[in-house]
Amino acid sequence: MGRRSKRNRRKEQRLAVRRTPEEEEERRKAREQAAWESGYTEIIKENKLFEHYYQELKIVPEGEWEQFMSIMREPLPATIRITGYKSHAKEILHCLKEKYFKEIQNIEVDGQKLEAPQPLNWYPDELAWHTNLSRKIIRKSPELEKFHQFLISETESGNISRQEAVSMIPPLLLGVQPHHKILDMCAAPGSKTKQLIEMLHADMDIPFPEGFVIANDVDNRRCYLLVHQAKRLNSPCVMVVNHDASSIPRLLVENNGEREVLFYDRILCDVPCSGDGTLRKNIDVWKKWTTLNSLQLHGLQIRIATRGVEQLAEGGRMVYSTCSLNPIEDEAVIASLLEKSEGSLELADVSAEIPGLKWMPGIAHWKVMTKEGQWFDRWEDVPTSRHTQIRPTMFPRDEMKMKEMNLHRCLRILPHHQNTGGFFVAVLIKKAPMPWNRRQPKALRRAPAAVPDVPVVAADPEYVTEVVSETAAEPDDAEKEGTKPDGGAETDSVKKDSVCGPPPSKKIKLVGFKEDPFVFLSADDPVFPPIQKFYALDPSFPQQNLLSRTQKGKKKQLYMVSKELRNVLLHNSEKMKVINTGIKVLCRNNDGEEFGCAYRLAQEGIYTIYPFINSRVVMVSVDDIKILLTQENPFLRKFGSETQEQTKDLAMGSIILKYEPDPEKPETLQCPIVLCGWRGKKSIRSFVPKNERMHYLRMMGVEVFKNQETTEKAPAEPECHQETEDMDIGCLKEEEQLAGDGDQGPDY
């Protein structure tokens, strides 16, 4: 059998050599069509136990059950969200509405006219849209190819996010401000995290907001997906960590020379759940659904939520959410939290915070059902044999307590009300410390150990080492006893070699690649003065926030974090498993010293570092931008006279190319653009990743296709035959490669 298979494969390979590209394309399309037509065995969208359970609980208003079940069996509409914090959002919205959405209205697929996408009436500024176009239609219809490529390219550039409509609700209810310290406890795959980052950078004129986002996930592999999503927004205020959310460590920060516990102003607690609100997109749930899933997850959900409110600051807000309609995972968890808080928590009334959103209030009465269909109204009725499966916290409390809890302030979104998935959200306000955390540990009042000049944090944006200590204690044990939370002398956390790495333990298991450290630049690092001089960096530039990934040898790339995240890194690296943090702002350029600076600017961090640069900034026009983005190495004579005048006496090396919109010319592009460039002997080029280049061209009305080259080489001239040697041309290829590393592509 094996030999026959090999022979067949060899035969196919020989035939493939003889086929023309057109024949290969026809074969590919035929295989794809056959796959669409055959598909998998159709899943019957019925589950009698599911229907019996929710009919008995009466979470659906009377007379709406048939409508509820009917919509549950229909595919979920695709929804997209435009990144709101970038100044390009209005331009992207204009492009969508005036070009792609208008074209869709005139297209017919299989004899049916496509419906025009509609904005979500409850999402601010028309930045979220839903459409009945399925992924199958978008992918297979030649008429939608331009729209499909637009979605993929803009998603990879971080300007558009495909996200389920109800998933957008929790970040909106957090009420994030730029100064807030935010924890996203179960963050992967990262769509909600991106919303939080956008809100943090609401004012694009502030490169370093005072707040930050720490995004956590227990799954190491999913953390990489989270990193990829977060990096699209190019923020220096984001850190991705890898911990079990139910025991995520309590962090310390330095404040006026004292070490104190870090409490978060906002916490997003979107817990793992049974997911029966996702039946419309995860059709496997139809055949797998049972009440056992919710019974098994209930305890974990309480532990994660409890850990969240422990780390919430007084006056802070935590959003608890699930994509489940089950009260065992929803109201029962919230009731348990409120009960054990002894008045420290209260449910916020958010009924007016998202106008236009239709929702049902939380319920105060429910029952518990086993997977066999047996019902229990009270914990006292549960036989001893069931006590390991059914817990007291799953049941409603007495009527007086339930009334005081105000569970009606919870939000349950039913799919048939606005053609969405099912969802549950509750917003908790912390009024006082939790009863078991009211005594401050004495150790936290001690002065911190001296921070070395060259601190090193064991973390890496590309490679990760998961450090597992088999003797780790429960995070709050030390604080409850009033002892030092770090478990030893403070000087132990800072080694002689200035490495802020994991502390010694009996057994440390290393999983994954060996990681490179993050090394903060010291005040006297010889790397910095040439950079400062070459770019005329403002005295306010935060040099101490620059870091690299190597202790020895040349620093290939320099990253930057906000001062608040630097504070977190320096005082907690021994207890945190950091997957990624920082944004790349400078790249080492081969032979760069001869141009006056060994480092060129990186497009990824240009909006972070640009406000501090006072030299080598060239103002360009729209026509100049088009030339830069469509030609690989255009000569100076191709640019406008003003651009030529600005660059004629400019030394070779990295430059900034900036376009400022003219309000008096509304027909032109009305959003600023900042690009990294290089001044050669007789040319200028841009260092911009492919998808970002396509984005800017679209905003200027230049249509770009997937298979269409966006750059063209300048014609050779005798005097310029060595010009390519004067530039690190490989940097552009490296930039584009890094932009695509690990990208599985958007789900369109």
Side-chain angles (χ1 to χ4, degrees), residues 270-287:
D270 186 53
V271 297
C273 65
S274 61
D276 56 24
T278 69
L279 281 167
R280 300 183 66 183
K281 67 173 184 178
N282 298 324
I283 57 176
D284 278 353
V285 179
W286 281 102
K287 62 180 181 180

Side-chain angles (χ1 to χ4, degrees), residues 414-434:
L414 298 179
H416 65 289
H417 284 165
Q418 285 181 302
N419 198 14
T420 64
F423 212 69
F424 175 87
V425 188
V427 181
L428 293 159
I429 305 292
K430 190 172 182 179
K431 299 166 62 179
M434 302 303 287

